[in-house]
Structures are given as C-alpha cells and as structure tokens.
Amino acid sequence: MTEDERRGVDLLVAVARGVIELGSAARASAFRLPYPPVLQLALDRMVLAGLTQGTPVPHGVPDLLSWIRERGPETLPLALPRDFLTAEARLIHPAGGEATRTCAELASYGPHGVLEQEAAALMAELADACGTEERFETCRDFLISRPVILRYDPVQLMRPAVAMTWRFVKGLYAPVPDRFAADGVLYRCTGCLLLAKLLASGGRWCEGGCPAHDGELESSHQPEQALVLPLSLRIFLALPGRAERAVRSRLSERVRLIPRGLGLHCITSGDGTLRTYQVHDREQPVLAALRAAETDARLGEPLDIVVPDELVASPGYRESFNRALPAGARVHLLSVSEFTALPPVDQERGSHA
C-alpha cells in the first residue's frame, strides 16, 4: 500500500466512522447541526485533496452523505488500493438509507476502530459479570437469538428459564431508534433477526442483507415496546451468530467457547489436539482477512475463519481474502459446510509465507 493509498484508506475510514456516529442518534431531531466532528473533519480533508487534484468534491456534509449513498467510495477524491473493497460497495444503502455492513467494517478498521471493538468490550464486560463460562455462553446465545425484541414482555422474561439470563443482559438493550418505524410499524427480518424496512419501491431492506426469499418480515404496531441491541452487537455478534449456531449444532460435542473476543471457539481434532476457529459474516474479504490476521497474531497459533457458504461461493471472495493475508499469517478460510464436513480437522491448512 502506497502512502497516498494509506491516506486514502484512513480518510475513507474516517467517513465511515462519521456515518456510524451520525446514525447512532436515537431520534431524527438529533441529526441537526453540528455534525459529528469526525465527519466534518473528513469532509474538510477530502475537499482539500479534491481541490489539490482538480477533481469534483462534495459540497458539505449532506452532499457527502448523498454521494456515498448513490456512488461507490472509488468515486471520492481519494486514492484507494486496488480491490480494497468489492465492486458496488456502498457506505449507505441506496434504498434503505442506513449505514451498510461495509460501513461498519470500515469503521472498525485499524487501531482506532470503533464498532467491532465496542462489541468486543461489551462482551468482555458481560463475561466478567457472568463469572462462569456456562452462564456467559447462555447469555451470549440469548443475545444472538434476540438482537431485536419486537414486543418487550416483562412477564415472559421473568420466567424461571430466562430470568437469570435477562438480569445479566437487559442493560445491553435500548429502545429502537424512531427512524426505523414507518407509519407506526416496526419490522424485523426473520432471516437475520435484525431490523428491517419496507421500501417505497415495494421491496425490503434488512441490516443483514438477506435476499427477499431468505425470510419474511415480522411487524409490530407498538414500536415503543421494542428493544434492540447496539449496532455493534447486531453486526458483529448476532449476524455471524447464525452461522456459528449452524457449526455448533453439527459439532456440538467437541466445541468449546473461549470467553474472550467476539466468538473464538476451539474444537478437539481426531488426534486430540485443539484447533481454534472464529465465525465471520462480513461483506468485505480484504477487511475480514486483515482482522483475522490480527487475531491470529494475538493467538500465536493457526486460526480457521468460518463463513456462511454463500460468502465463499461469491465470485472472488476466497481469492481476495487469501490475497490480503499478510505474509506468515496462519489463517485458513472455510465455509460452514467445509468446516463441518467429516473429518473436520484433517484438511490441509494454507500457509501464507
């Protein structure tokens, strides 16, 4: 990566963090001036770069937001490494008007990342509060299966089977931002279990990016009774949690959760050795690879990254992921089906020396 490309990536990451901060407002009235300083500063830097290069620039924050909603980041006046992002990447969904998974992944990139790091910190606090691995795993599964509670019912949550778990996790939930309710109706996707919208075009949008055939939309006419996890946990815990549960359901007797980070697991191999894996569900293979390499370096041992089958099947995803791995990274990308195939631990590992 050249110095100009590094500056371009840093600037794009700043824009993504500004979009995430702007979207964290619970009420529409909070979108008034001043805009988040990180977003305003990123715009100023972008305008300066554009004027220096003689290229078109956004005219203010509203124009910048329209720009990244209607066009890809490669059209901005900044240098980016080739194939750093996938084709058609957007920071704001053109129809849904919300920050995309790509935006969330960019906002988490680098030493000053804000979103994935927030999710990891929240899980670390929960693990400390739980005290035991078993209780933490139960609480974590609760969050994965209920990122959006459409109808908060205190009676149901005080039942003996869930009352203890709810006591530990309830502080992570908050009211749903009012911009998600249209005409008094709030939607949740049954595929990814995340927030959703019906679009004026007749289509639908959901945070997990599910195809229309992957799930229906559930609705509530009392959005004020709904609760939701923070975006960080919806994207970096609950979303990959679908694939994680699929892995555990097939290999449950040999899988153990490591109570740190966002979902490191170990599995016992046929010869009795332990193999560490983490489940990802990320749009951007380059960013996923760089994050996996950081985890691998902290672990000091080989790491399997397991992703939904449809991601590995996406044209170029595996190739982009492997190409982005730093030299020496002991990371192996596998689909859920590949990882859970028998024997699950005797596949040849890739070494990127």
Side-chain angles (χ1 to χ4, degrees), residues 101-280:
R101 289 159 59 189
T102 289
C103 186
E105 291 165 20
L106 277 169
S108 304
Y109 174 74
H112 305 295
V114 295
L115 209 60
E116 183 182 355
Q117 293 80 350
E118 174 190 294
L122 290 172
M123 287 296 94
E125 292 174 6
L126 179 61
D128 288 342
C130 286
T132 67
E133 291 185 15
E134 293 77 12
R135 185 176 295 144
F136 174 63
E137 188 166 357
T138 299
C139 289
R140 190 174 175 276
D141 284 345
F142 183 98
L143 300 176
I144 288 172
S145 62
R146 298 173 182 84
V148 179
I149 298 176
L150 271 186
R151 301 169 190 85
Y152 169 63
D153 184 346
V155 174
Q156 288 293 319
L157 292 171
M158 290 309 295
R159 290 184 293 113
V162 296
M164 179 65 73
T165 298
W166 180 244
R167 183 168 70 86
F168 283 101
V169 304
K170 63 182 180 180
L172 294 170
Y173 287 88
V176 178
D178 61 1
R179 69 180 184 275
F180 285 99
D183 299 322
V185 183
L186 179 69
Y187 294 95
R188 176 178 65 186
C189 175
T190 60
C192 61
L193 303 178
L194 302 183
L195 292 169
K197 294 180 182 180
L198 281 181
L199 305 177
S201 62
R204 42 168 274 186
W205 165 90
C206 72
E207 287 182 314
C210 298
H213 56 76
D214 274 12
E216 302 298 326
L217 298 187
E218 297 177 282
S219 63
S220 170
H221 291 267
Q222 295 177 305
E224 70 280 358
Q225 294 186 2
L227 295 174
V228 67
L229 291 177
L231 178 64
S232 59
L233 292 179
R234 301 200 302 272
I235 297 299
F236 293 105
L237 176 71
L239 186 61
R242 298 177 302 166
E244 180 186 304
R245 285 184 294 180
V247 171
R248 282 191 286 156
S249 68
R250 302 179 200 181
L251 306 173
S252 57
E253 73 281 1
R254 290 178 288 152
V255 173
R256 184 175 69 85
L257 173 67
I258 302 173
R260 57 182 165 136
L262 281 173
L264 286 170
H265 293 77
C266 61
I267 182 171
T268 305
S269 68
D271 61 4
T273 59
L274 294 180
R275 179 170 176 175
T276 305
Y277 75 91
Q278 185 176 41
V279 178
H280 279 190

Side-chain angles (χ1 to χ4, degrees), residues 257-327:
L257 173 67
I258 302 173
R260 57 182 165 136
L262 281 173
L264 286 170
H265 293 77
C266 61
I267 182 171
T268 305
S269 68
D271 61 4
T273 59
L274 294 180
R275 179 170 176 175
T276 305
Y277 75 91
Q278 185 176 41
V279 178
H280 279 190
D281 191 346
R282 309 196 180 195
E283 284 188 330
Q284 298 302 324
V286 170
L287 295 175
L290 296 176
R291 175 63 71 202
E294 291 177 3
T295 303
D296 169 57
R298 289 196 302 271
L299 284 174
E301 60 187 61
L303 174 68
D304 289 324
I305 295 296
V306 184
V307 302
D309 291 358
E310 58 269 20
L311 271 185
V312 168
S314 300
Y317 193 96
R318 193 194 297 269
E319 292 77 9
S320 294
F321 183 98
N322 289 334
R323 192 163 51 243
L325 288 172

